[in-house]
Amino acid sequence: MSDETMQEELKKEQEWEDSVTQTEHEYGGSEIQVLEGLEAVRKRPGMYIGSTSSSGLHHLVYEIVDNAIDEALAGYCKHITVDILPGDVIKVTDDGRGVPVDIQPQTGRPALEVVYTVLHAGGKFGGGGYKVSGGLHGVGGSVVNALSEWMEVRVHKNGSIYEVKFSRGNMTQEMTVVGKTDRTGTEVVFKPDPEMFTDTTVYDYDILHTRMREEAFLNAGLHITITDQRGEEPVSDAMCYEGGIREFVTYLNTNKTPLHEQVIYMAGQKDDAMAEVAFQYNDSYNETILSFANNVHTPEGGMHEDGFKRALTNVLNAYGKKMKLLKDDDKVSGEDCREGLCCIISVKLTEAQFEGQTKAKLGNSEIRTLVNAVVTDKLTEFLEENPAIGKAILDKALTASRAREAARKARESVRRKTGLEGGQMPEKLQDCNERDPSLCEIYIVEGDSAGGSAIQGRDSRFQAILSMWGKMLNVEKARADKIYGNDKLYPMIVALGAGIGDEFDIEKLRYHKIIIMADADVDGAHIRTLLLTFFFRYMRPLIEKGYVYSAVPPLYKLTRGKTVRVAYSDPERDAISAEMRGDNPSVKIDISRFKGLGEMDPHELWETTMDPERRTLRRITLDDAVKADQIFTVLMGEEVEPRKEWIEKNAQYAVNIDI
Ligand code: TSJ
């Protein structure tokens, strides 16, 4: 947590304590419990759902769906539906037993009311450094209730439909029987509170769809249907994967050429923890490992990934020796063993400890032991029984090992030829004067003319410009030796100064802000995606540290007489236009669209996109990078059709924002 954030948190904490003291004078007894609980969520929403930006808004849905999934894991629920209704209202239903409706002795109230009004201790993001595991029934229900303008719950149970209603966490209708039914299940409908979600209350179907698909893969046999009912025609997808994470691997390898037909699958458990692994090699050079703990994605990895990697390397080396595929002293490294690997790891445990910068890393060491044991046993057995697959995998690892050696030589020869070791910077870089990396920024600019404007417009004391033009290498299709030889990527690696891959050393980084500046159109999105994929694959700590940003160029220029203003979004354009017009509807405001960075003059570019006092930068998260990477791993392989679809879809988006 940064100092400012910490200060901010402490201030909120104090305010909250003050308000609780006041409350105590006004109310007595059990009411305080309820009030305090949900007030805490509204005072510090970030502690419960991570943030109140778009990501927090989507998190509300995951919290509710998690409860239905718990019911599925308990073995009582087969179908879950998620609907985005007009007005960005969310409806989630399941066909489980239905939340209990009987009176609780401690509170004298029906359980159904208590679940949504009492905050369970800690909360998912509370409780110090660790995120407490899911699987506590109803934890999310009250948090989502507190952050909803309104929420309604209907439970089908015992032949009756029971209903409760709330507004911003307060009950507006006690539990009431509203009808008869012949089924069981729970239905929750809520509208996120715009007072809490001030950035946006608009749901992104693709984000929810992707997460629900993930949940369907991770819970084999569970039916999840997601529907967007906001448009004229509903958009819907009904998902169910009997093969679970095996099918997840097949899905990720969709546009790849697999090295072996069958997806390798193994599972095991110890005490109350269980681990599942599925993987398949393809003929690419990249590794894709997606790991999950209690169905929560862990992009920073952790003990489950460590256990898998160790076991894989050990088993392949032992097998290679035994089958005489590796000579006496030969070894294949971990990286060699993972070239072309596509793997899903899913573990379930009672007390998951989430650590790391973004609480996205699993810390339980017993899980490393479990995954290691399961993979060592089962993979050894599998290779014994499937020698053809064993040989194909070992051959791949050996080729990777030789290529790595060739890459090392290529790198050294490039260094010798160009003399870049001696601190000489590439021609395409216009460096800044400052030398302290924490004060330096580098703009990576696409296009000749935009690069020129950026060089003239910048503050050369601390802003460096690296111009790139022409087609960039798709790293999905290249090994490290190609990357060192690439005329776009190599200058960038040298300019950043920290190397790549295993050799990457963040201490040597020359700039602590790396800013991608590309147009707000399809081509710009393409360049951004390629660069993010490269950083994700070869310089991941850059993203983990939060050093990578996307510049946000303006979309519109508004002119009234001599007054010129710019807008970065459609709503902002409308607001500024109204403001400039004032009370006079007949005033003419000229609105033009910026076609691209290239057509801005240096001064305009500085004012709107580069001046630290006025610009907006969007920090790239690991999640953004994972998504960018998946666009390639899933959509951008050899196959032309999915790529066309992607571009058409994004072109469609570009048309929409034009209107
Ligand atoms: F988040 C939530 F609480 F709002 C919510 C809960 C939302 C949704 C869509 C579903 C659920 C939910 C809860 N579905 N099913 C259940 N099950 C129970 O709460 C339940 C039912 C029976 C028993 C029992 O022991 O008989 C125990 C529990 C926890």
Side-chain angles (χ1 to χ4, degrees), residues 64 67-68 71 92 94 97-100 115-116 137-138 141 186 188:
I64 293 297
N67 286 273
E71 187 73 356
V92 181
D94 72 24
R97 291 166 294 177
V99 177
V115 162
Y116 295 94
H137 288 275
T186 304
V188 175

Side-chain angles (χ1 to χ4, degrees), residues 63-72 76-77 80-81 92-94 96-100 115-116 137-142 144 151 153 157 185-188:
E63 286 289 343
I64 293 297
V65 170
D66 275 355
N67 286 273
I69 288 189
D70 280 344
E71 187 73 356
Y76 299 101
C77 152
I80 296 174
T81 68
V92 181
T93 74
D94 72 24
R97 291 166 294 177
V99 177
V115 162
Y116 295 94
H137 288 275
V139 167
S142 58
V144 176
M151 177 161 171
V153 185
K157 206 178 173 88
T186 304
E187 172 185 307
V188 175

Side-chain angles (χ1 to χ4, degrees), residues 83-97:
D83 289 75
I84 315 172
L85 305 177
D88 289 278
V89 169
I90 297 290
K91 179 169 91 176
V92 181
T93 74
D94 72 24
D95 60 353
R97 291 166 294 177

Side-chain angles (χ1 to χ4, degrees), residues 205-273:
Y205 174 77
D206 289 338
I207 292 177
L208 292 181
H209 183 204
T210 303
R211 176 65 188 143
M212 291 309 123
R213 181 165 48 213
E214 216 167 80
E215 292 277 21
F217 279 130
L218 292 166
N219 298 281
L222 177 63
H223 293 259
I224 304 184
T225 303
I226 177 163
T227 310
D228 187 349
Q229 309 209 16
R230 291 171 300 182
E232 272 178 29
E233 293 282 320
V235 180
S236 188
D237 192 11
M239 298 162 287
C240 175
Y241 305 104
E242 293 298 342
I245 63 170
R246 293 178 197 82
E247 282 191 61
F248 203 160
V249 170
T250 306
Y251 169 77
L252 290 176
N253 267 339
T254 305
N255 295 307
K256 307 284 167 54
T257 312
L259 210 64
H260 49 100
E261 193 126 330
Q262 191 185 347
V263 174
I264 302 171
Y265 173 84
M266 50 206 67
Q269 60 187 69
K270 185 165 190 283
D271 304 328
D272 43 15

